[in-house]
Amino acid sequence: MSKKHDKSKGLTRRDVLKISAASAVAASTPMFFVKDAWAQKAIGNFPVNGPTVTYGFNVPLTSIYADEGEDELRAYKLAVKHLNNGGGMVETLQPNALKRNGVLGKKVEYVVGDTQTNPDAARTSARRMIERDKVIMFSGGSSSAIAIAQQYLAQELGVIFMCGLTHSNDTTGKDKRRYGFRHFFNAYMTGKALAPILSKEYGKDRRAFHLTADYTWGHTQYQSMKDFTEKEGWTTVDNIMTPVKTTDFSQFLTPILNSDADVLILNHYGKNMNNSLTNAVEFGFKEMQKNGKNMEIVVPLYSRLMAKGAGQKNIEGVLGTTAWNWTQKDDDPGSKAFVETFEKEYGFPPSQAAQTCYVQTIIYSDAVERAGTFYPPAVIKALEGHEFAGTGPGKTLYRAEDHQCFKDMLVVKGKSPSQLKGKYDLLEIVSKVKREDTVYPVDTFPGELGPYEPA
């Protein structure tokens, strides 16, 4: 039967229902040793038997973050293709242990789940992948609450989780786990990078009112923006927590109109941001003056998909941060290889969510090759403290103490009509923030990683 493929969505029925027919874990496994003297025993779905190995991709295919989920899945599928056949960042990663014939000689297969942007649904889907489909690694998500829920499950069941898009400080802070790794930056880094530019653009004597998504990411995003903008001399007027499922934010905008705030900070992401920004523009915030100043709107965490969803008219002049942008294809070989292969496969450029999920898949696979085994503690050791290049501008480091990734990031602004060079060219890069300018001490966010071998 032929596999029908919709390039606009990157989804097929087979993708969602696909179950590995191989891989039966032995009932008992003898202890043995490899090059790094790790005593290997059955953990999670190790050992991997048969000619294939299965990865699990657990993404939001429904709900407010579905746009990100669909693009993440496109990237995961492309990463599997490149691992099995070569291409993309498999050619640009440095150092590079990948062989272009799968991982450790086993062809990579995958199964797909829907997190529904719901922690319980995400855990159920991830557990099914682990227990039924025998995945050796799983990845995905566009919500920090989802990532944290899956990290705990990963630690419990002994299967490594390579976080997808997650931006809460808690992911590699109080909720960090030995079996979870984050490639994305966090809310603290956003505040640190963005606040000085806001101060430069809009002045130090500003009064900010926040609307904040009421879950772990929103909470840490608000706190980080509050702390860093106040260091620049800004005053925080108030903050309103908004339910994640909100679609009409009008009721939350009225208190801002009646306040003396002259900056609106939208700690929203995905369709939440599309709706809240659209509502604010409809309320006339962009034409308004407060305290003798133009009213400004800030979206701390940006993406090209969000910019497209909100519309060019609404995002024009709005500042925020992003982990990566497809226009960086001219900045380094890794971005160029990824963008070109993604565009060839799907007909349009990838998002930052796609890039981070693609890299997570490639880097996990490289760590397995470097460790010479799928044994989770050995793979974790290979990831901890690992520094590499060829996946984006500059070098990337997975800090061993908290599994937080440090790399270059961007401050961006919505383009004006005269600046546009195509329908995907929506964000102007205002500042390229170097890795060393985002690093913070490990004890900024205390937490325990937990053991290498689950209890």
Side-chain angles (χ1 to χ4, degrees):
M1 181 180 295
S2 64
K3 180 179 177 181
K4 293 183 179 180
H5 179 64
D6 181 352
K7 287 191 175 185
S8 70
K9 288 184 174 295
L11 302 173
T12 68
R13 178 175 175 81
R14 184 179 174 187
D15 290 333
V16 179
L17 300 178
K18 190 174 179 185
I19 304 173
S20 172
S23 166
V25 179
S28 60
T29 305
M31 305 287 281
F32 58 95
F33 292 84
V34 292
K35 63 180 181 180
D36 294 321
W38 279 94
Q40 299 194 349
K41 62 183 182 181
I43 293 178
N45 287 319
F46 175 85
V48 179
N49 298 313
T52 64
V53 62
T54 306
Y55 291 177
F57 303 137
N58 207 22
V59 299
L61 299 177
T62 55
S63 78
I64 60 171
Y65 295 152
D67 289 347
E68 263 78 18
E70 290 177 356
D71 221 37
E72 287 174 358
L73 185 53
R74 295 181 188 106
Y76 283 132
K77 291 167 62 180
L78 189 62
V80 168
K81 180 179 181 178
H82 291 162
L83 289 170
N84 287 331
N85 304 300
M89 290 183 186
V90 169
E91 311 301 330
T92 62
L93 179 67
Q94 294 294 331
N96 192 341
L98 297 168
K99 304 295 192 299
R100 302 165 185 82
N101 64 345
V103 180
L104 294 183
K106 296 179 184 289
K107 180 182 178 182
V108 180
E109 297 186 344
Y110 63 88
V111 293
V112 176
D114 182 5
T115 69
Q116 303 173 43
T117 314
N118 178 289
D120 291 336
R123 282 177 63 93
T124 298
S125 179
R127 185 179 288 275
R128 185 184 304 117
M129 291 178 173
I130 294 168
E131 295 180 349
R132 183 190 70 184
D133 303 324
K134 306 303 180 185
V135 301
I136 194 64
M137 175 277 282
F138 66 115
S139 182
S142 286
S143 159
S144 293
I146 305 307
I148 290 168
Q150 291 182 95
Q151 275 194 164
Y152 277 88
L153 183 69
Q155 187 73 34
E156 175 189 343
L157 299 183
V159 177
I160 293 172
F161 176 60
M162 303 297 285
C163 299
L165 196 154
T166 169
H167 191 241
S168 170
N169 296 332
D170 294 343
T171 308
T172 46
K174 69 181 184 66
D175 293 306
K176 64 173 70 82
R177 285 295 177 267
R178 184 73 62 185
Y179 275 69
F181 287 85
R182 169 161 58 182
H183 174 258
F184 209 67
F185 67 125
N186 64 22
Y188 185 92
M189 297 180 200
T190 282
K192 189 174 184 181
L194 184 56
I197 289 176
L198 293 177
S199 176
K200 180 180 178 181
E201 290 279 331
Y202 304 142
K204 292 186 175 293
D205 183 21
R206 283 290 193 167
R207 300 180 61 79
F209 202 120
H210 296 247
L211 293 186
T212 299
D214 192 8
Y215 74 104
T216 178
W217 167 69
H219 299 170
T220 65
Q221 180 64 88
Y222 162 67
Q223 192 61 52
S224 297
M225 286 300 295
K226 179 179 184 294
D227 290 347
F228 279 104
T229 55
E230 288 181 356
K231 286 181 181 178
E232 295 293 327
W234 286 28
T235 299
T236 303
V237 175
D238 205 347
N239 175 49
I240 297 176
M241 292 293 181
T242 61
V244 175
K245 293 185 178 181
T246 302
T247 56
D248 185 347
F249 291 84
S250 301
Q251 62 179 310
F252 305 113
L253 294 171
T254 301
I256 303 169
L257 290 173
N258 295 329
S259 76
D260 64 349
D262 49 45
V263 178
L264 168 59
I265 299 181
L266 297 174
N267 299 306
H268 292 148
Y269 194 73
K271 286 186 171 63
N272 275 173
M273 174 271 191
N274 294 349
N275 292 328
S276 63
L277 178 58
T278 299
N279 289 160
V281 173
E282 290 172 346
F283 266 61
F285 275 68
K286 280 194 168 184
E287 290 77 36
M288 197 177 297
Q289 282 211 337
K290 289 283 196 75
N291 308 321
K293 306 179 182 73
N294 291 331
M295 185 79 177
E296 304 293 349
I297 303 175
V298 177
V299 176
L301 181 59
Y302 238 141
S303 79
R304 192 261 303 167
L305 290 177
M306 288 164 56
K308 179 184 176 184
Q312 186 275 323
K313 176 183 175 183
N314 293 339
I315 67 162
E316 182 180 356
V318 175
L319 283 160
T321 62
T322 190
W324 177 89
N325 188 275
W326 69 275
T327 59
Q328 291 178 274
K329 63 184 180 180
D330 298 326
D331 290 355
D332 78 292
S335 294
K336 180 180 176 64
F338 176 54
V339 171
E340 289 181 350
T341 54
F342 192 98
E343 286 183 323
K344 182 179 179 180
E345 191 79 9
Y346 301 113
F348 48 83
S351 64
Q352 66 171 354
Q355 191 260 357
T356 205
C357 289
Y358 179 96
V359 173
Q360 286 287 66
T361 310
I362 298 297
I363 291 302
Y364 167 82
S365 304
D366 175 73
V368 170
E369 292 282 6
R370 288 187 290 109
T373 177
F374 287 103
Y375 183 58
V379 178
I380 291 170
K381 281 286 187 181
L383 287 166
E384 288 179 334
H386 183 53
E387 187 177 62
F388 55 92
T391 60
K395 291 184 177 181
T396 299
L397 171 71
Y398 278 105
R399 187 159 63 182
E401 293 83 357
D402 58 2
H403 295 188
Q404 175 60 50
C405 173
F406 292 96
K407 57 188 176 65
D408 295 354
M409 55 178 283
L410 303 173
V411 174
V412 294
K413 179 167 63 174
K415 285 190 171 184
S416 65
S418 63
Q419 294 176 295
L420 300 179
K421 298 178 181 178
K423 65 179 180 178
Y424 300 109
D425 181 37
L426 299 171
L427 299 174
E428 174 191 356
I429 297 174
V430 174
S431 176
K432 296 180 180 181
V433 184
K434 290 298 182 183
R435 181 180 102 181
E436 54 268 27
D437 294 330
T438 69
V439 177
Y440 55 85
V442 174
D443 61 5
T444 302
F445 303 109
E448 296 296 329
L449 283 169
Y452 288 95
E453 296 185 3

